[in-house]
Amino acid sequence: MLAVTATSSGTFAIGGDRPIHRLGFGAMRLTGCGVWGEPQDRAEALRTLRALPELGVNFVDTADSYGPEVSEKLIREALHPYKGILIATKGGLERPGPDNWVNNGKPDRLIAQAKRSRELLGVEQIELWQLHRIDPKVPRDEQFAAVKQLIDTGVIRHAGLSEVSVGEIKAAQKVFPVATVQNRYNLGDRASEDVLAFCEQHAIGFIPWYPLGAGALTESGGSLEKIAKRHSATLGQIALAWILRRSPVMLPIPGTSKVAHLKENVAAAGIELSSAEFEQLSSR
């Protein structure tokens, strides 16, 4: 019996022209405590990255602020020249220290960060670059103009946004094509339903960060636990299976620094929830 790979999650075309397997990989957890510095087990982190191609994962999401720069450097060391893997990165946050995140959406800095990411990843063009946060201290149109400049000058191919409202997506669309949106979304937190609906209407990829969150559904004897036992799966696998079924534009990026956990996450792509199970989870 062949092992399940990310190919079972289906495909989505980023920007309408770059197909990927929908179940991707989030590279934040590759770094040290507080998303700061080198990983505790660097060798295992590299093994985890190198296992991605054999597991069919061809979409990796990172950011220059993860480490900072540590995640991007590890990705290059493990996977360059990538061979069909889309490496997406983000810019717009400064890191004064562990667990410390500061907005900086000054246009010159966004452009410099993207060029630095391009250098660290070892690519001529970043296939997907995302504005990590819209900086409230900088006029958003100036930030959007910087993103457009990155596209126009060929530094990046496609652009996305993170933690945004429908109104902010519409405002950005007036300046550049929005290929993806990355908002927090999972079984226990569905505050971005309106954003997801908008993404579906406009063929925008929706990247749910923290996709394994399940909130109150994790209570002992609850519906999530019962469904997991029925499928001989973990709670996290069922949460991922639900995310994948929730929408064809959904691109979950569960992260880990362990090969075993990576394989467990990818196996979720092979879980087929019944309509009754899906509705039972969705109704909570």
Side-chain angles (χ1 to χ4, degrees), residues 57-196:
V57 177
N58 61 3
F59 178 52
V60 177
D61 177 87
T62 186
D64 62 8
S65 55
Y66 296 166
E69 297 190 348
V70 171
S71 178
E72 291 178 327
K73 290 177 180 178
L74 288 169
I75 288 169
R76 179 175 183 172
E77 180 176 343
L79 295 172
H80 192 270
Y82 308 122
K83 296 180 180 178
I85 299 176
L86 189 158
I87 309 297
T89 192
K90 300 181 288 292
L93 292 178
E94 291 183 332
R95 299 299 310 286
D99 288 320
N100 199 345
W101 307 79
V102 178
N103 290 312
N104 189 338
K106 294 178 181 178
D108 288 349
R109 189 168 193 281
L110 294 179
I111 291 168
Q113 281 182 296
K115 290 179 177 179
R116 175 62 174 163
S117 288
R118 180 179 62 176
E119 176 187 345
L120 291 175
L121 291 171
V123 295
E124 293 183 4
Q125 183 182 61
I126 296 170
E127 292 196 78
L128 174 64
W129 184 91
Q130 303 151 93
L131 182 60
H132 213 151
R133 294 292 185 274
I134 296 176
D135 187 346
K137 302 185 301 296
V138 179
R140 69 183 184 189
D141 285 348
E142 292 183 12
Q143 297 172 71
F144 296 160
V147 177
K148 184 177 188 301
Q149 183 177 331
L150 288 169
I151 295 173
D152 292 345
T153 55
V155 176
I156 68 175
R157 178 176 178 179
H158 295 300
L161 301 168
S162 181
E163 281 305 297
V164 288
S165 66
V166 170
E168 289 167 333
I169 300 170
K170 290 180 177 179
Q173 284 180 316
K174 295 178 181 179
V175 184
F176 64 88
V178 177
T180 58
V181 167
Q182 186 166 161
N183 279 17
R184 177 172 167 137
Y185 187 94
N186 52 56
L187 262 173
D189 181 356
R190 303 177 219 172
S192 289
E193 288 285 4
D194 60 330
V195 174
L196 175 57

